Amino acid sequence: MKYVYIKTWGCQMNEYDSSMIVNLLEKDNEYIITENIEQANIFILNTCSIREKAQEKVFHQLGRWKKLKNRNPDIIIAVGGCVATQEGKEIFKRANYVDIVFGTQTLHKLPNMLLTAKKNRKRAINITFPKLEKFNYVLKPKKILYSSAISIMEGCNKYCSFCVVPYTRGNEISRPCDDVLFDISNLAETGTREIILLGQNVNAYQGVTFNGGICYFSELIRLVAEIDGIERIRFITSNPLEFSDDIIEVYRDTPKLVSFLHLPVQSGSNKILHLMKRSYTIEDYESIILKLIDARPNIQISSDFIVGFPGESQEDFKQTIQFIKKINFDMSFSFIYSARPGTPASEMEDNLNLIEKKERLHLLQNLINTQTMMWSRKMFGTIQSILVEGYSKNKNLELYGKTENNRTVVFSGTSKMIGNFVNVKITKIHTHSLEGVLV
């Protein structure tokens, strides 16, 4: 039997790509996905290059797999994702035991590449950008997912000075509207109740319609809300530059869209935003938030922050801290700046030492954590609508699910509730989760 072990790093887009790989390999029952590394004879590494030393992390992992291949030469090792696209044939040079290198847009070719590697004992590489071809191979999942992600577009045209995504995922291209709706309808038929719309710059979506028109992101959300079975809609990730008024209006008229938004800002300093080539100002961002609060008064905002970007002064960092307090962000993904090969920012002079960067990150994350806990405490005693996803791993025979504002709640219930929405009263607040009782 062909036992496949898949390791995935990175964003939700990478997780989605890996789920596509699983569906493709399981299609004809030729492959069995396993979590037992000793059982596997095919190893797939789906990589991310967003952080510093991503390449080294990949080769360290491959080195561990090399030991297994030394014991069993029939093992096939495949490397995909952003690092694969970025490094290409260099992976073979540094790790000559790797059999396959595939890109972010060519994962659908992996089954044939595996056959070639097995039969002919020849290396295979395909890191081209055949646009939306991979989405022709989207299959109904065999496993029921009550909350499912679906990619509606690929790539990014923004070319922020720090970001490698346009080079590893290509330019923005939107999937046809009908294709997206068809896939979501299929998911709804298999039990999905919450849909997460994915894209590197999801609010830039412009999908072609059946009659040759254009469906914009705001219209797509409304169409998704009309699909039977879909009761909750999320999306990630947005760019403030294209967070237009028509999207804000969706928050007024589409209650299935959650009152929670992840909108990356990256810095609270206009000077740093300019160096990042983000093409908006702090004032622009704040204007969007004020409009959103007007449309949906109970909305909560999370964001991304890069600390220690080249040229960031103490005053710039202070402005970021002040902005976090002003907007009262709920959560964040925050990191020390990592120079990515080939990006304009990698050529900038780095004016901060690592100790200072770590201190700034610590201050920022402590502030965000304090605000997150404050938002959670506001939920104490409230009744929340929970999508029940299964049994909690940490508490025996208790169920868990997510609130609209993306918090995990643990509570007692029955198996019949799994896959449905239930009302739960919040009775305990923890740092990373909540507890409640059924109402």
Side-chain angles (χ1 to χ4, degrees):
M1 297 297 295
K2 300 170 184 174
Y3 290 95
V4 182
Y5 179 88
I6 301 178
K7 193 171 188 67
T8 306
W9 292 328
C11 63
Q12 279 187 288
M13 187 69 80
N14 272 28
E15 295 287 348
Y16 177 77
D17 285 348
S18 288
S19 70
M20 282 187 66
I21 292 171
V22 169
N23 288 344
L24 283 167
L25 295 181
E26 288 186 333
K27 178 184 175 184
D28 300 317
N29 297 315
E30 290 186 24
Y31 299 88
I32 297 174
I33 308 302
T34 180
E35 294 184 4
N36 182 353
I37 198 167
E38 294 294 332
Q39 184 184 39
N41 45 36
I42 296 173
F43 290 81
I44 300 172
L45 182 59
N46 192 2
T47 63
C48 173
S49 62
I50 205 72
R51 301 296 307 279
E52 188 178 11
K53 297 180 181 176
Q55 295 92 327
E56 297 311 311
K57 184 179 177 183
V58 167
F59 289 109
H60 287 158
Q61 180 61 58
L62 292 176
R64 289 189 283 272
W65 287 354
K66 179 185 179 182
K67 296 175 183 177
L68 297 173
K69 187 160 183 170
N70 286 340
R71 298 205 308 258
N72 179 9
D74 288 332
I75 283 176
I76 293 175
I77 298 177
V79 182
C82 292
V83 172
T85 303
Q86 187 174 291
E87 295 296 302
K89 291 181 179 179
E90 291 298 315
I91 291 175
F92 292 141
K93 291 180 182 178
R94 287 191 59 180
N96 61 7
Y97 48 89
V98 170
D99 302 281
I100 295 169
V101 173
F102 64 99
T104 56
Q105 304 279 10
T106 53
L107 59 87
H108 58 290
K109 297 183 181 292
L110 185 56
N112 284 335
M113 295 172 84
L114 286 169
L115 287 174
T116 300
K118 190 76 174 174
K119 287 181 180 179
N120 303 332
R121 286 294 173 185
K122 287 185 178 180
R123 291 176 184 159
I125 180 170
N126 192 329
I127 53 172
T128 57
F129 290 91
K131 297 190 176 178
L132 298 173
E133 191 177 298
K134 76 178 184 182
F135 294 109
N136 295 332
Y137 297 84
V138 174
L139 303 168
K140 272 189 179 182
K142 290 185 177 181
K143 184 172 126 184
I144 296 174
L145 296 172
Y146 304 112
S147 177
S148 298
I150 182 167
S151 176
I152 65 171
M153 63 185 300
E154 280 274 342
C156 184
N157 292 343
K158 299 301 174 284
Y159 287 89
C160 299
S161 66
F162 58 84
C163 187
V164 76
V165 166
Y167 309 99
T168 58
R169 289 269 178 185
N171 289 331
E172 282 175 6
I173 182 164
S174 300
R175 295 182 64 194
C177 174
D178 289 344
D179 288 2
V180 172
L181 297 177
F182 178 77
D183 288 346
I184 294 174
S185 295
N186 277 340
L187 288 168
E189 286 178 6
T190 61
T192 290
R193 294 293 169 261
E194 175 184 270
I195 204 75
I196 306 167
L197 305 175
L198 296 180
Q200 270 76 35
N201 186 19
V202 73
N203 51 330
Y205 176 81
Q206 296 183 29
V208 176
T209 62
F210 69 95
N211 60 1
I214 296 294
C215 175
Y216 293 93
F217 186 55
S218 56
E219 183 182 355
L220 179 68
I221 294 173
R222 292 189 178 99
L223 290 171
V224 172
E226 294 297 320
I227 295 175
D228 288 342
I230 299 300
E231 301 298 330
R232 186 182 277 177
I233 303 169
R234 304 182 188 274
F235 58 85
I236 192 169
T237 296
S238 306
N239 190 308
L241 191 62
E242 290 173 304
F243 210 96
S244 48
D245 288 346
D246 63 309
I247 298 173
I248 292 170
E249 286 304 307
V250 179
Y251 283 90
R252 294 188 194 276
D253 60 36
T254 310
K256 288 184 179 181
L257 180 61
V258 297
S259 295
F260 187 87
L261 170 66
H262 184 74
L263 187 61
V265 63
Q266 306 299 0
S267 174
S269 161
N270 281 332
K271 182 192 91 178
I272 298 302
L273 290 178
H274 177 72
L275 290 173
M276 290 178 170
K277 295 189 177 179
R278 289 293 283 177
S279 300
Y280 57 82
T281 65
I282 286 304
E283 290 74 23
D284 295 332
Y285 187 98
E286 186 175 356
S287 174
I288 293 168
I289 301 303
L290 291 173
K291 290 177 184 177
L292 281 167
I293 292 172
D294 182 63
R296 192 74 71 86
N298 62 333
I299 196 166
Q300 290 169 235
I301 310 295
S302 68
S303 196
D304 291 348
F305 294 93
I306 295 174
V307 174
F309 190 81
E312 182 186 82
S313 65
Q314 187 62 43
E315 177 59 28
D316 295 320
F317 178 69
K318 181 181 176 183
Q319 289 174 19
T320 298
I321 293 295
Q322 290 171 341
F323 191 67
I324 290 171
K325 292 177 180 177
K326 185 175 186 179
I327 300 298
N328 196 13
F329 288 104
D330 181 6
M331 303 175 184
S332 83
F333 296 103
S334 48
F335 308 98
I336 291 172
Y337 166 72
S338 298
R340 305 313 302 126
T343 60
S346 65
E347 304 297 323
M348 296 179 183
E349 183 180 353
D350 193 345
N351 59 308
L352 289 174
N353 61 56
L354 185 59
I355 293 175
E356 177 65 22
K357 290 177 183 178
K358 287 183 176 180
E359 287 177 354
R360 291 183 185 183
L361 181 65
H362 180 70
L363 287 170
L364 186 149
Q365 290 181 337
N366 275 353
L367 173 58
I368 292 286
N369 289 340
T370 299
Q371 293 181 182
T372 300
M373 183 56 74
M374 182 201 71
W375 280 108
S376 292
R377 287 193 182 114
K378 285 183 179 181
M379 298 172 69
F380 181 81
T382 64
I383 296 173
Q384 300 289 324
S385 178
I386 309 296
L387 174 57
V388 186
E389 295 188 47
Y391 285 101
S392 170
K393 292 179 180 178
N394 298 323
K395 288 185 175 284
N396 291 332
L397 300 179
E398 289 207 318
L399 301 173
Y400 81 96
K402 290 284 184 67
T403 62
E404 201 171 307
N405 62 350
N406 218 26
R407 272 141 173 94
T408 298
V409 180
V410 177
F411 60 96
S412 295
T414 66
S415 61
K416 292 181 180 179
M417 296 174 182
I418 296 173
N420 296 299
F421 286 88
V422 297
N423 288 327
V424 173
K425 184 176 182 179
I426 306 304
T427 56
K428 286 186 180 179
I429 309 295
H430 302 292
T431 304
H432 301 293
S433 65
L434 310 174
E435 290 184 42
V437 294
L438 281 167
V439 176

